[in-house]
Amino acid sequence: YQRSVREAVVSTQSTGESIHELSIQLTTIRSEIQSITQEVRVCDERIVTIDNSIEAKIAALRNEMGERDVMIGQIREELASRDAVLADQAKQLRYELTRDCSLCRGM
């Protein structure tokens, strides 16, 4: 009977030690999970910061492109206006040359 009691006590102590070891391991795992969770939060914050920065740069580039499009439009209008002026000047010169030539022929 005493032998059975001793074996039961030893078994209980062994089980208690196993439970204690498992408890320590569980605490360690929980700590590691918290650490990893914190690292993930930091990474998420960095991703959000980078994403916001990229979005801001895209918006700035779109704004620049819009400004350039306006400038290109203005340049095109200016060139069209100059082309019209040059066409009128060429027409006037042709008229004057034709008139001058006809005056010369008449003499």
Side-chain angles (χ1 to χ4, degrees), residues 63-89:
N63 188 39
E64 280 183 35
M65 287 173 58
E67 290 173 3
R68 287 180 184 168
D69 287 346
V70 168
M71 289 173 57
I72 289 170
Q74 290 171 343
I75 290 168
R76 285 183 177 155
E77 289 175 10
E78 176 80 21
L79 290 174
S81 174
R82 288 181 183 181
D83 284 348
V85 168
L86 288 174
D88 286 344
Q89 288 176 348

Side-chain angles (χ1 to χ4, degrees), residues 33-81:
I33 288 172
Q34 287 175 344
S35 176
I36 292 169
T37 301
Q38 181 61 30
E39 289 176 19
V40 168
R41 284 187 190 131
V42 169
C43 289
D44 283 347
E45 290 171 4
R46 288 180 184 162
I47 289 170
V48 167
T49 300
I50 291 168
D51 190 44
N52 290 340
S53 174
I54 289 170
E55 286 180 14
K57 288 177 183 178
I58 289 171
L61 288 172
R62 284 185 179 148
N63 188 39
E64 280 183 35
M65 287 173 58
E67 290 173 3
R68 287 180 184 168
D69 287 346
V70 168
M71 289 173 57
I72 289 170
Q74 290 171 343
I75 290 168
R76 285 183 177 155
E77 289 175 10
E78 176 80 21
L79 290 174
S81 174

